[in-house]
């Protein structure tokens, strides 16, 4: 009998630097499993963001580039345009993608660049120490919103999946989570579908993943999952926002 | 030996184009050439000008304070640029739009109503080619054969326009003689 | 091949294609938009890539990504746009990615103007972005030289795995002059060598490649900077380019000038020669590395009493000249940078104030 649970070939042996209870590890694994299942490791290039996943390249075993804050979609565009046969994905957090990189992500999606974005939304800047992100929930306390996010002052959290789905260019835009096992199964399915569309040269694809940050939220990992379910899921509703089959 | 021609007029009069045609003709005759435009917002409806430098030596400064010749297609250009023309140069004036002369007696002034002539030919757009041909005929800056070849080359993508422009050249040559 | 009459911007575009660079990303800005307008038609004819990015910032990363994936790639812009690209250029230098960047300079600071200028000398030669890095900077003085420098720039960028900048003023881009291209189209294969992220399938070893400028370990970062420094030192040894004018004459004044400005000076030198005044010129063709040795030698002759930096900027080149001359002769400055290119007559007048 073979192994039923093993390290994906696309994932390295290295122990991650992520905090206890962080969901990046789960999401990395889902990406690695999908790359193994599609047999594309030898033709994949990942792009690491700036943020907690800045060192993501240490945890995968295929070619990687490291971008500046928010610029991963522009780099992916450059790679994909000169080598359309490569499978390219950006792995970005919410500060990276939804704040400083908003221009790059909207235009890459709108051009219908044939790469995939894994967008990890945990409602906070992680690596820089828990500052407010464009996705921070109303009233949520962070180091730069110590009295809670004041939406009169800084507006409402940005719903990236909905925003990108509003573009007229065809794409695959979906939001899933990694809070519970059933979420994880659906998240993997979405990631695989996103890569599948890229393999077919069909469209741009983005999988937003509602995630947690126990360290910067000041909660235990279990509390963090509960907080995300209670506060984020009602606002960041899960599901497919756009498929290339849509009219 | 170096010659410089400044072409000046309103944006839309085909100023840049006739400068380019002259530069191309001179290049084909084996000269060194530089075509230096004015560019930017002033091109959109305002004054447009370009300078063509023609030399038998590698060209130094492409920026010319006192050109040898001037082709003025509107009055502001004549007033602005004619004082700078070198003594002994040719000064072409578009008589259709400029009711005055340069007032200089040390240049060879040539006044041609190019718009009226172009209308007679049936296409007012040929006014710039008539002006160029008249100027070249008077100044002798390049040969007429080279000029015709350059015009044909310029319109090679629109061959239907070539016979009309050849007529314009002949009309320009004729107009240069009349004075 | 026969000479063709071409605008500098279009000639630069064609030169890139002739040197096998079939990948271009850019954002429009006066006075260099003709490059994009030319290539949007030309690239499809040669099976190349053309993309108008959403900003110069994005473009700098498009060329970074393409270069890191092993492609020959270039972009063009003008001063304010180059400032925006400086972010990505720093990352490229740090990650050792080759690319060619053309700056057709306009006046600044800020929005400045759109007319010719050399106001980005400091930026190009000393301070292109954050961190310890340099660009190899070539400065053409004619459309033909712009073509030749473009054709050299790609192999140089690859030799050093470092961005190379072609620094031209607005006139180099806007002027039409006869140019000659080498025959035919050189096809450059994509680079699948030891470092590019071309996908593991493109190489024999099972090694994965990583392109990055992040070195959190201080020793590793220091080593990366030492690697870069060694490259810049090698550039200083091997890539210095300059041209002399009238330096066999017993000149009293030595002009140092580059780009279009140097041509204005050439005419001024001819004029003064006919009046019995001898003036020599060293024209740097590479601004980094600066031709320090040649400028020092040319200044350090008995008949030369003063060195003049003549530039379309407010004395930015003076520092490099002073560094080269090492106090042996005084260094004076003349220039303008509002967009009016100084005329030969103005240069003559200035030189007379030095005599």
């Amino acid at each position: 009998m073979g192994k039923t649970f093993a390290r994906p070939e696309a994932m390295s042996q290295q122990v991650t630097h992520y905090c206890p209870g962080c969901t990046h590890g789960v999401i990395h694994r889902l990406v690695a499993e999908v790359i193994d299942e599609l047999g594309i490791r030898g033709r994949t290039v990942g792009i690491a963001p700036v943020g907690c996943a800045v060192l993501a390249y240490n945890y995968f075993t295929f070619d990687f580039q490291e971008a500046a804050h928010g610029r991963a979609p522009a780099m992916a565009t450059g790679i994909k345009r000169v080598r359309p046969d490569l499978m390219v994905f950006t792995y970005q957090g919410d500060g990276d993608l939804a704040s400083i990189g908003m221009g790059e992500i909207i235009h890459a999606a709108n051009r219908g660049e044939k790469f995939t974005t894994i967008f990890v939304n945990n409602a906070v800047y992680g690596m820089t120490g828990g500052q407010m992100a464009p996705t921070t929930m109303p009233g949520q306390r962070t180091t730069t919103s110590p009295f809670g996010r004041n939406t009169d002052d800084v507006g409402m959290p940005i719903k990236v999946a909905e925003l990108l789905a509003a573009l007229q260019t065809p794409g695959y835009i979906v939001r899933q989570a990694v809070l519970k096992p059933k979420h994880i199964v659906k998240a993997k399915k979405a990631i695989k579908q996103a890569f599948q569309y890229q393999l077919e040269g069909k469209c741009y694809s983005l999988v937003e993943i509602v995630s947690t940050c126990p360290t910067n939220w000041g909660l235990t990992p279990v509390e963090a999952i509960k907080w995300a379910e209670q506060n984020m899921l009602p606002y960041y509703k899960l599901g497919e926002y756009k498929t290339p089959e849509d009219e | 030996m170096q010659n410089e021609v400044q072409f000046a007029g309103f944006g839309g009069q085909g100023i840049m184009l006739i400068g380019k045609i002259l530069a191309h003709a001179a290049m084909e005759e084996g000269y060194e050439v530089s075509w230096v435009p004015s560019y930017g917002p002033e091109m959109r409806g305002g004054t447009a000008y370009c300078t063509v430098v023609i030399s038998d030596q590698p060209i130094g400064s492409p920026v010319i304070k006192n050109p040898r010749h001037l082709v003025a297609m509107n009055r502001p250009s004549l007033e602005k640029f004619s004082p700078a023309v070198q003594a002994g140069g040719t000064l072409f004036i578009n008589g259709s739009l400029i009711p005055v002369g340069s007032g200089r007696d040390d240049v060879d002034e040539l006044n041609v109503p190019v718009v009226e002539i172009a209308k007679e030919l049936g296409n007012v757009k040929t006014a710039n080619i008539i002006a160029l041909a008249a100027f070249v005929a008077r100044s002798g800056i390049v040969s007429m054969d080279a000029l015709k070849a350059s015009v044909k080359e310029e319109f090679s993508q629109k061959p239907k326009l070539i016979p009309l422009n050849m007529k314009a050249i002949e009309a320009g040559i004729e107009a240069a003689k009349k004075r | 091949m026969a000479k063709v009459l071409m605008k500098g911007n279009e000639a630069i575009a064609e030169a890139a294609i002739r040197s096998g660079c079939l990948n271009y990303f850019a954002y429009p800005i006066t006075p260099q938009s003709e490059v994009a307008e030319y290539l949007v038609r030309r690239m499809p004819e040669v099976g190349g890539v053309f993309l108008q990015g959403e900003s110069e910032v994005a473009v700098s990363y498009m060329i970074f990504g393409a270069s890191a994936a092993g492609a020959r790639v270039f972009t063009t812009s003008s001063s304010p746009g180059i400032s925006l690209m400086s972010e990505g250029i720093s990352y490229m230098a740090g990650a050792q990615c080759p690319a060619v960047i053309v700056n057709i300079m306009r006046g600044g600071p800020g929005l400045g103007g759109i007319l010719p200028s050399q106001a980005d000398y400091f930026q190009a030669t000393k301070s292109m972005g954050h961190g310890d890095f340099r660009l190899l900077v070539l400065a053409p003085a004619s459309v033909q030289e712009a073509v030749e420098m473009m054709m050299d720039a790609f192999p140089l960028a690859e030799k050093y795995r470092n961005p190379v900048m072609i620094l031209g003023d607005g006139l180099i881009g806007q002027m039409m002059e006869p140019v000659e291209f080498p025959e035919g189209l050189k096809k450059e294969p994509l680079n699948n060598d030891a470092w590019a992220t071309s996908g593991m399938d493109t190489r024999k070893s099972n090694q994965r490649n990583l392109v990055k400028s992040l070195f959190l370990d201080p020793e590793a970062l220091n080593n990366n900077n030492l690697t870069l420094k060694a490259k810049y030192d090698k550039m200083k040894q091997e890539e210095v380019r300059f041209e002399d004018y009238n330096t066999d004459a017993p000149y009293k004044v030595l002009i140092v000038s580059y780009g279009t400005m140097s041509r204005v000076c050439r005419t001024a030198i001819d004029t003064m020669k006919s009046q019995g005044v001898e003036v020599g010129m060293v024209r740097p063709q590479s601004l980094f590395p600066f031709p320090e040795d040649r400028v020092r030698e040319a200044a350090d002759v008995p008949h030369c009493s003063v060195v003049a930096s003549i530039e379309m900027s407010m004395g930015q080149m003076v520092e490099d000249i002073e560094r080269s001359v090492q106090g042996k002769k005084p260094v004076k400055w003349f220039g303008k940078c509002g967009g009016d290119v100084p005329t030969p007559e103005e240069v003559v007048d200035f030189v007379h104030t030095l005599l």
Side-chain angles (χ1 to χ4, degrees):
Chain A
M1 193 177 148
K3 276 189 188 173
T4 53
F5 189 81
R7 180 185 296 277
E9 200 189 359
M11 216 165 177
S12 78
Q13 301 275 343
Q14 198 157 332
V15 176
T16 75
H17 69 289
Y18 298 118
C19 305
C22 175
T23 41
H24 271 308
V26 175
I27 301 164
H28 283 14
R29 184 182 170 98
L30 297 183
V31 171
E33 285 179 357
V34 164
I35 286 170
D36 277 10
E37 287 166 22
L38 295 174
I40 55 172
R41 192 172 72 103
R43 52 187 279 215
T44 296
V45 178
I47 304 173
V50 168
C52 284
V54 67
L55 297 172
Y57 48 75
N58 285 333
Y59 313 130
F60 295 101
T61 59
F62 44 85
D63 283 4
F64 239 89
Q65 297 183 13
E66 190 257 318
H69 208 195
R71 316 295 181 220
M75 285 186 79
T77 298
I79 305 168
K80 198 73 188 179
R81 292 276 174 151
V82 300
R83 287 191 184 261
D85 292 340
L86 286 178
M87 292 290 290
V88 179
F89 73 93
T90 67
Y91 187 103
Q92 303 177 258
D94 43 334
D96 184 276
L97 181 144
S99 190
I100 195 168
M102 190 56 108
E104 283 77 6
I105 195 69
I106 287 189
H107 287 281
N110 194 54
R111 286 190 301 264
E113 299 292 345
K114 309 293 184 288
F115 68 85
T116 299
T117 296
I118 309 298
F119 169 47
V120 180
N121 177 2
N122 61 6
V124 76
Y125 279 74
M127 187 184 67
T128 45
Q131 292 84 10
M132 184 180 69
T135 46
T136 294
M137 299 305 296
Q140 184 184 340
R141 288 166 191 257
T142 70
T143 59
T144 52
S145 60
F147 313 109
R149 180 182 182 129
N150 176 358
T151 57
D152 287 343
D153 188 34
V154 296
M156 291 293 286
I158 293 177
K159 296 180 173 182
V160 168
E162 289 87 333
L163 190 74
L164 294 181
L167 298 171
Q168 299 302 300
T169 308
Y172 178 62
I173 309 289
V174 54
R175 182 186 291 122
Q176 294 298 344
V178 285
L179 306 175
K180 289 184 166 177
K182 68 168 185 182
H183 292 148
I184 295 173
V185 171
K186 283 186 175 172
K188 180 174 171 185
K189 213 177 138 201
I191 293 169
K192 193 163 184 178
Q193 182 64 66
F195 275 90
Q196 194 65 49
Y197 281 134
Q198 184 179 166
L199 262 177
E200 292 163 13
K202 211 155 198 172
C203 63
Y204 172 73
S205 50
L206 176 136
V207 182
E208 176 173 342
I209 298 175
V210 176
S211 184
T212 65
C213 183
T215 299
N216 286 305
W217 292 358
L219 300 173
T220 68
V222 174
E223 287 168 351
I225 285 171
K226 274 190 190 144
W227 189 90
E229 281 185 301
Q230 284 167 6
N231 295 282
M232 292 178 74
L233 292 188
Y235 188 79
Y236 296 119
K237 292 198 165 57
L238 307 185
E240 279 184 347
Y241 283 86
K242 191 179 197 171
T243 69
E245 287 78 27
D246 291 349
E247 278 299 303
Chain B
M1 180 63 192
Q2 181 169 301
N3 265 310
E4 309 92 6
V5 191
Q6 184 165 23
F7 294 89
F10 291 124
Q13 281 185 309
I15 300 296
M16 300 297 181
L17 180 70
I18 52 176
K20 182 187 165 193
I21 289 171
L22 177 65
H24 188 259
M27 178 185 82
E28 292 296 339
E29 292 213 307
Y31 291 107
E32 300 285 343
V33 298
S34 289
W35 173 93
V36 184
S38 63
Y39 63 85
E42 73 270 26
M43 283 172 65
R44 321 263 188 267
T47 308
Y49 62 90
C50 64
T51 308
V52 177
V53 185
I54 301 172
S55 179
D56 51 10
Q57 300 291 320
I59 293 167
S61 177
V63 182
I64 305 295
K65 190 178 167 195
N66 298 111
R68 183 158 175 80
H69 310 290
L70 171 67
V71 174
M73 293 294 277
N74 67 3
R75 185 168 179 172
S77 298
L78 178 74
E79 288 169 349
K80 187 172 175 187
F81 298 120
S82 64
V85 174
Q86 290 175 25
T90 300
L91 205 161
F92 176 93
I93 294 176
N94 173 7
S96 304
L97 293 183
I98 310 173
V100 296
S102 68
R104 288 184 57 167
D105 53 12
D106 59 347
V107 294
D108 179 19
E109 191 169 303
L110 170 64
N111 187 313
V112 178
V114 289
V115 177
E116 283 76 10
I117 298 174
K119 280 180 183 163
E120 281 169 28
L121 290 180
N123 190 333
V124 72
K125 284 186 181 168
T126 58
N128 60 341
I129 300 291
I130 296 166
L132 175 63
F135 165 74
V136 169
R138 179 62 71 97
S139 64
I141 193 164
V142 293
S143 75
M144 241 350 125
D145 287 347
L147 183 71
K148 286 178 185 168
S150 179
V151 169
K152 283 178 187 161
E153 170 75 24
E154 185 59 39
F155 290 99
S156 59
Q157 302 297 318
K158 299 171 189 164
K160 277 185 186 169
L161 293 176
I162 291 175
L164 177 67
N165 281 291
M166 290 300 114
K167 275 191 205 165
I169 288 177
E170 296 303 334
I173 296 169
E174 195 56 33
K177 277 183 202 161
K178 279 179 190 165
R179 283 286 311 264
Chain C
M1 193 180 153
K3 280 188 176 177
V4 285
L5 186 65
M6 265 182 128
K7 224 177 196 197
N9 283 331
E10 295 177 346
I12 283 167
E14 184 62 28
I17 288 177
R18 298 295 175 106
S19 37
C21 177
L22 302 187
N23 303 294
Y24 175 75
F25 299 85
Y27 186 82
I29 183 170
T30 306
Q32 62 76 52
S33 298
E34 292 89 351
V35 183
E37 289 163 358
Y38 181 87
L39 287 174
V40 71
R41 293 167 191 277
R42 187 75 172 102
M43 279 302 187
E45 291 174 4
V46 292
V49 171
F50 170 93
L51 184 63
Q52 179 174 328
E54 64 269 30
S55 70
E56 286 94 346
V57 176
V59 164
S60 68
Y61 290 95
M62 289 173 184
I63 62 171
F64 182 18
S67 169
R72 236 176 212 201
V73 62
F74 89 115
T75 188
T76 60
S77 188
S78 180
S79 312
I82 295 289
S83 290
L84 286 171
M85 288 184 185
S86 67
E87 185 190 280
I89 295 171
S90 169
Y91 280 72
M92 264 185 278
Q96 301 197 60
C97 283
V100 174
I101 298 144
V102 180
N103 180 3
I104 300 296
M105 290 179 282
R106 50 188 265 182
L111 214 42
I114 57 169
L115 295 172
S117 167
Q118 296 178 325
D120 304 339
Y121 182 90
F122 277 154
Q123 184 193 44
T125 59
K126 305 189 193 298
S127 186
M128 192 60 240
H130 65 282
D132 260 312
F133 78 95
R134 300 287 198 145
L135 301 181
L136 204 163
V137 184
L138 301 177
S142 68
V143 177
Q144 178 67 43
E145 192 173 45
V147 166
E148 287 158 14
M149 285 180 172
M150 278 301 286
M151 314 236 12
D152 289 347
F154 292 99
L156 282 171
E158 284 150 21
K159 174 180 173 185
Y160 290 98
R161 278 184 59 192
N162 198 73
V164 171
M165 177 167 278
I166 304 292
L167 193 69
D169 52 77
L171 267 188
I172 295 292
Q174 291 296 323
M175 216 165 31
M176 268 198 254
E177 289 187 327
V179 283
E180 242 175 318
F181 294 100
E183 289 288 350
L185 198 62
K186 214 167 92 192
K187 279 269 180 191
E188 279 295 321
L190 287 165
N191 175 6
N192 297 328
D193 75 5
W195 64 271
T197 54
S198 48
M200 293 163 71
D201 287 348
T202 60
R203 67 192 77 102
K204 283 183 185 135
S205 74
N206 200 31
Q207 187 67 41
R208 72 90 174 246
N209 285 344
L210 181 57
V211 173
K212 62 169 183 139
S213 60
L214 178 69
F215 299 90
L216 289 173
D217 171 40
E219 198 184 325
L221 181 56
N222 191 48
N223 285 339
N224 193 52
N225 277 309
L226 286 172
T227 304
L228 302 187
K229 183 177 185 300
K231 296 196 300 186
Y232 308 141
D233 289 345
K234 190 174 176 192
M235 287 178 195
K236 288 180 187 171
Q237 292 297 315
E238 297 182 12
E239 312 304 341
V240 173
R241 298 178 179 207
F242 61 86
E243 195 180 72
D244 274 23
Y245 193 69
N246 202 41
T247 48
D248 348 341
Y251 52 89
K252 288 201 176 78
V253 177
L254 176 71
I255 288 176
V256 181
S257 186
Y258 68 99
T260 297
M261 195 64 242
S262 69
R263 290 176 57 171
V264 175
C265 291
R266 214 164 75 194
T267 298
I269 289 169
D270 291 347
T271 305
M272 288 184 276
K273 197 180 187 74
S274 69
Q275 296 163 351
V277 178
E278 294 292 0
V279 176
M281 177 165 70
V282 174
R283 172 171 78 92
Q285 292 166 301
S286 60
L287 300 179
F288 182 88
F290 190 78
E292 294 170 33
D293 292 343
R294 179 58 199 137
V295 169
R296 179 169 50 255
E297 280 165 22
D300 198 17
V301 292
H303 54 74
C304 174
S305 59
V306 58
V307 182
S309 180
I310 301 188
E311 47 183 296
M312 287 187 269
S313 51
M314 292 291 155
Q316 295 187 37
M317 194 168 55
V318 169
E319 290 178 19
D320 276 340
I321 299 171
E322 282 178 337
R323 200 164 45 79
S324 306
V325 172
Q326 296 176 347
K328 290 181 173 140
K329 298 286 158 69
V331 179
K332 304 291 182 185
W333 166 81
F334 175 71
K336 272 182 166 181
C337 66
D340 271 342
V341 181
T343 61
E345 292 78 5
E346 287 173 294
V347 173
V348 170
D349 289 348
F350 169 72
V351 169
H352 277 288
T353 68
L354 303 177
L355 293 170

